[in-house]
Structures are given as C-alpha cells and as structure tokens.
Amino acid sequence: MRKLAIVLAGMLVLIQYPLWVGKGGWLKVWETDRQNVQQRALNERHAQRNAGLEAEVRDLREGKVAIEERARYDLGMVRADEVFVQVTEPGASRATSDPAIQTASAPANAAR
C-alpha cells in the first residue's frame, strides 16, 4: 500500500510540474502580468507627456502669443518699441560676455 501511495504522489508531482513551471505555467503568467503592469505605467507616463506636447503644438499653431512667449524666453527677443532692463543682485558677477547683450548706460559726457 505504501508503494502505491508513493507512485500516486510521484504521478501527482509529474502532472503538476507543467502547470507551475512549464510553458504557459503560473510562474510565466505571473511574470507576464508583472511586465504588463510595468508597461501600462510606462504607457501612461508617455500618454501624459504626449498630451502636453500636443497642447503645446496646438497652441503654437493657433496663437501668436505662444510663439512670442517662446521667442522671448528661449531667444531673448525684445521688440523695437521696448526697453530691456536687467536687474542684477549686488555683488553678482555677469555670467556672460556675449557682445549681443549690451548694457545701457549714460555716457559720461552726456550732461555737458
């Protein structure tokens, strides 16, 4: 009787092996589910980024305000009828020596 129980237990293990470890087994299903959750999170982040880019493109296509704002911020655009004033903190050194950026100062002989 003991031999029969051992044989039946062995057959049970052989039947269960493909279910747990084989191709399409529970371990593979759990790993695939984990990968699926990670990919969904990545897709959600990309969808949010794409929505932001889409809104920016739509704004650039439809309005000149966005184009002007972008040119002012990224390129330092100043209109011809505007005066550019840059305020620096006392003791702060000038970060750039770009000749395109000029500081307006009154000439020393202007009062004469």
Side-chain angles (χ1 to χ4, degrees), residues 28 109 111:
K28 299 282 184 188
N109 303 1

Side-chain angles (χ1 to χ4, degrees), residues 25-41:
W26 282 110
L27 296 177
K28 299 282 184 188
V29 170
W30 287 332
E31 176 63 22
T32 304
D33 187 49
R34 185 188 63 79
Q35 290 174 354
N36 190 6
V37 167
Q38 286 179 343
Q39 188 63 47
R40 286 182 189 267

Side-chain angles (χ1 to χ4, degrees), residues 21-97:
V21 182
K23 182 179 179 181
W26 282 110
L27 296 177
K28 299 282 184 188
V29 170
W30 287 332
E31 176 63 22
T32 304
D33 187 49
R34 185 188 63 79
Q35 290 174 354
N36 190 6
V37 167
Q38 286 179 343
Q39 188 63 47
R40 286 182 189 267
L42 180 65
N43 290 350
E44 180 63 30
R45 287 194 306 265
H46 286 173
Q48 290 174 355
R49 184 194 67 193
N50 289 346
L53 290 173
E54 183 181 341
E56 184 177 349
V57 167
R58 184 175 43 251
D59 194 28
L60 288 172
R61 283 185 181 167
E62 293 175 359
K64 293 188 179 190
V65 174
I67 295 171
E68 183 178 338
E69 177 185 339
R70 190 95 183 229
R72 287 177 180 276
Y73 181 74
D74 292 343
L75 304 174
M77 183 189 89
V78 179
R79 288 187 186 167
D81 61 341
E82 294 178 332
V83 176
F84 177 74
V85 177
Q86 182 175 4
V87 178
T88 58
E89 295 294 325
S93 64
R94 188 169 175 186
T96 182
S97 62

